[in-house]
Structure formats: structure tokens, C-alpha cells
């Protein structure tokens, strides 16, 4: 470890597998695991204390992610794909308190609790494209994203609940995304592109954030 934000120990796993069927469909999946630990950065009480106490930082961070995707071609001019992804962020560290400025020689640190942050996110996507003619291609997709979990535990969680209810202590939101598009070949070197996107965000922890928006983009791309 050279810097305070670098881990003392790190362990990583990456795995991926794919299978292509002679019938024209492809399935693939992956799993990633990363664990970071750091206990060599310490807090030490001031030198004026008779027997200075040292506390390890004791950070434990784990990130899990996995995904599965499937691609199908039911016809030569139609391509369909669907996917599922999962990400989990799990982080814990000591909570220290002190009522003495850090520069004071008599500073003393009090370990209160180990607070844990744990959030799961899931993403489901379904989409496809259709070569309607030699010049026109249509595409569309729908994505559902769900995140939920607690931003703390123990003393930190209790104090956040007392101060804001579930606003700052809980993550619980859903994002819906619908996308529709079309590509039209104007010439061998020019393509007209039209894309419409609608997104709606639903937050169960803080419903004032609930809202949606529409976006329409039209452009022409050129190739040399």
C-alpha cells in the first residue's frame, strides 16, 4: 500500500462463458468478484495520553457482478436480444468519533460501531431490430433497472432514520427506459437516424424525485 485509498489486500475473480448454437442463437454469461481489505491505516490517540491507543481502519469492500445474455435470430432480417445483470456493492468500515480537533496533541478517537453499506442493483433488458427493407431498419428496447438496499447500519443507520426517515438511509428506486429508433439509408454515404427515448424514475424512498422525460433525436450521419 502506497496511498491511503489503496487496499492492503485485494482478491479478484473473473469468469465468462459463451455458447453459440448451430441454430443461430448465442448465450453468454459472466461473473466478477472483487474484495478489498485495508487495516494498515490507523487512528492513534494523542501523545499526551499516558498509553496511546491505536485503532485499525478495518475497511472491507466486496463487489459482486453477474450477467446473462441471449441473442436470437428468428428470421434473417430480425435480431432479438435479452439480458439480465446483477451488481452488489457491500462495504463496511469503523465509525470513529472525536470531540477534539485533529491537530490537538490530546486528540482521542472513539470507535463507535462498524457501519455497513449494502446495495443490490438488477437490470433487465429486452430489445431487437428489424431490417424492414434494403434502406430501412427499425429497432427498439425496454430496460428495467431496480436498486435497493441500506446505506448504513447500526448507529449511522439509526441516526439517518431519526433525521430523515427513509430518505437518506434507504435506497429503493426503479428506472424504466423505452427506446424506439429507425435508420433510413438516404444514399450510399448518408443515413437518416431517428431515435425516441422515454424514461421514468420511481423513488420509493423519496417520492418527490418521481418523474419522467421524453427525448427525440433526429440526425444524419455521413461516411467518407
Amino acid at each position: 500500500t502506497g496511498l491511503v485509498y489503496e487496499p492492503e489486500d485485494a482478491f479478484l475473480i473473473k469468469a465468462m462463458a459463451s455458447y453459440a448454437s448451430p441454430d443461430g442463437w448465442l448465450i453468454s454469461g459472466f461473473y466478477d468478484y472483487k474484495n478489498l481489505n485495508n487495516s494498515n491505516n490507523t487512528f492513534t490517540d494523542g501523545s499526551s495520553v499516558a498509553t496511546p491507543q491505536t485503532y485499525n481502519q478495518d475497511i472491507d469492500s466486496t463487489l459482486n457482478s453477474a450477467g446473462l445474455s441471449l441473442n436470437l435470430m428468428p428470421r434473417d432480417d430480425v435480431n432479438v436480444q435479452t439480458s439480465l445483470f446483477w451488481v452488489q456493492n457491500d462495504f463496511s468500515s469503523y465509525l470513529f468519533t472525536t470531540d477534539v480537533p485533529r491537530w490537538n496533541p490530546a486528540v482521542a478517537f472513539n470507535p463507535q460501531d462498524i457501519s455497513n453499506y449494502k446495495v443490490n442493483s438488477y437490470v433487465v433488458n429486452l430489445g431487437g431490430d428489424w431490417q424492414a427493407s434494403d434502406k430501412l431498419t427499425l429497432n427498439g428496447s425496454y430496460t428495467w433497472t431496480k436498486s435497493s438496499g441500506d446505506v448504513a447500519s447500526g448507529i449511522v443507520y439509526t441516526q439517518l432514520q431519526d433525521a430523515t426517515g427513509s430518505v437518506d438511509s434507504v435506497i429503493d428506486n426503479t428506472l424504466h427506459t423505452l427506446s424506439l429508433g429507425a435508420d433510413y439509408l438516404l444514399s450510399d454515404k448518408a443515413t437518416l437516424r431517428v431515435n425516441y427515448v422515454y424514461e421514468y424514475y420511481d423513488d420509493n424512498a423519496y417520492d418527490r424525485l418521481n418523474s419522467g422525460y421524453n427525448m427525440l433525436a433526429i440526425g444524419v450521419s455521413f461516411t467518407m
Side-chain angles (χ1 to χ4, degrees), residues 53-101:
Q53 180 67 48
T54 297
Y55 306 97
N56 289 334
Q57 192 177 27
D58 199 19
I59 290 177
D60 189 351
S61 176
T62 302
L63 181 66
N64 286 284
S65 59
L68 189 66
S69 61
L70 175 65
N71 288 71
L72 301 170
M73 289 191 65
R75 298 186 343 193
D76 291 341
D77 57 354
V78 176
N79 182 53
V80 179
Q81 63 271 348
T82 183
S83 58
L84 169 64
F85 298 100
W86 165 68
V87 178
Q88 183 189 75
N89 191 358
D90 189 353
F91 177 90
S92 65
S93 179
Y94 268 119
L95 167 67
F96 292 92
T97 62
T98 181
D99 57 0
V100 180

Side-chain angles (χ1 to χ4, degrees), residues 31-43:
Y31 173 71
D32 293 343
Y33 172 87
K34 179 169 65 174
N35 178 256
L36 307 177
N37 288 275
N38 201 340
S39 61
N40 60 348
N41 293 313
T42 59
F43 296 92

